[in-house]
Amino acid sequence: EIVMTQSPASLSVSPGERATLSCRASQSVSSNLAWFQQKPGQAPRLLLYGASTRATGIPARFSGSGSGTEFTLTISSLQSEDFAVFYCQQYNAWPLAFGGGTKVEIK
Amino acid sequence: EVQLVESGGGLVKPGGSLRLSCAASGFTFSSYSMNWVRQAPGKGLEWVSSISTGSSSIYYTDSVKGRFTISRDNAKNSLFLQMDSLRAEDTAVYYCARAAAAYWYFALWGRGTLVTVSS
């Protein structure tokens, strides 16, 4: 089974700054990687799929890159509404798997 | 409005059973594969089970195999999760999630229903 590892576990960033989140797969998942954002008390929301394609309605400040085993989610200029927990998910093989999450906090 | 609404959660004793439902609206339910994802209190997301459009393909995470059964009723736009032999570690918010067309990422989520397994 594929294990997804996210780093760092938490990140303190000032509004307006850039945040870079990493996701690593234990074996290649090609570009079959999605990113989600979850705010407290809410369901997750799809941000990106195919490693780099933004979902409908997602602002351009969210971007993704990578393929194979190494992936990055970048938030170019953090807004107050962006502070949340972010998860990656591989859908290349069964069982489907999420990373452990990265919490982005206000500095 | 496109939405998924879960129901059926609650408090159940270890070894008990519960049946979760997910009502879909605003889209052609029969055209999409569906999933259950759970989140234990204060923890991350965990994929639980998936079912294809016509129920021909069904998948489970190892920890629920033999105890949980996923099913769907396309005529009633509904997804189900029958949970038997429940354990304390099954305590979580259970989300219904719609897959994308042809890919197994979770494009649409419900708000979740809480299942608590405790004596």
Side-chain angles (χ1 to χ4, degrees):
Chain A
E1 84 180 51
I2 299 173
V3 176
M4 307 300 293
T5 303
Q6 290 186 242
S7 62
S10 64
L11 189 59
S12 292
V13 184
S14 299
E17 289 189 340
R18 173 188 296 256
T20 302
L21 288 64
S22 295
C23 175
R24 174 177 292 177
S26 61
Q27 59 187 273
S28 178
V29 298
S30 187
S31 294
N32 295 315
L33 191 284
W35 288 95
F36 301 88
Q37 176 190 50
Q38 187 179 33
K39 298 178 182 179
Q42 296 185 17
R45 175 177 72 146
L46 175 67
L47 293 177
L48 301 166
Y49 59 92
S52 61
T53 303
R54 281 187 299 277
T56 302
I58 302 303
R61 63 180 181 273
F62 292 92
S63 63
S65 64
S67 66
T69 62
E70 301 283 344
F71 301 88
T72 299
L73 171 66
T74 301
I75 312 170
S76 60
S77 177
L78 272 155
Q79 306 298 302
S80 57
E81 62 267 29
D82 298 338
F83 293 93
V85 180
F86 294 83
Y87 296 93
C88 60
Q89 178 234 333
Q90 72 82 16
Y91 52 96
N92 191 66
W94 300 96
L96 306 180
F98 290 94
T102 293
K103 185 175 184 179
V104 178
E105 301 174 301
I106 299 174
K107 187 173 183 180
Chain B
E1 181 187 3
V2 176
Q3 64 176 355
L4 300 168
V5 180
E6 303 92 337
S7 60
L11 175 63
V12 61
K13 289 181 168 55
S17 297
L18 214 52
R19 189 188 196 216
L20 304 184
S21 299
C22 171
S25 59
F27 64 96
T28 305
F29 178 74
S30 60
S31 296
Y32 292 90
S33 298
M34 296 296 296
N35 311 268
W36 289 99
V37 176
R38 69 184 178 183
Q39 185 169 36
K43 303 297 184 181
L45 301 172
E46 179 186 23
W47 167 74
V48 174
S49 183
S50 299
I51 186 168
S52 62
T53 54
S55 305
S56 59
S57 295
I58 287 176
Y59 306 91
Y60 299 100
T61 191
D62 282 349
S63 63
V64 309
K65 281 180 184 175
R67 300 189 300 122
F68 289 12
T69 303
I70 191 172
S71 61
R72 64 190 294 163
D73 185 336
N74 287 340
K76 296 183 177 180
N77 295 333
S78 296
L79 175 71
F80 306 101
L81 187 67
Q82 176 67 40
M83 303 187 296
D84 299 319
S85 303
L86 282 161
R87 307 167 179 167
E89 54 265 34
D90 296 318
T91 294
V93 173
Y94 284 73
Y95 295 102
C96 169
R98 189 190 79 181
Y103 291 96
W104 291 94
Y105 60 86
F106 310 113
L108 177 69
W109 297 68
R111 300 181 74 170
T113 187
L114 176 62
V115 172
T116 304
V117 184
S118 174
S119 55

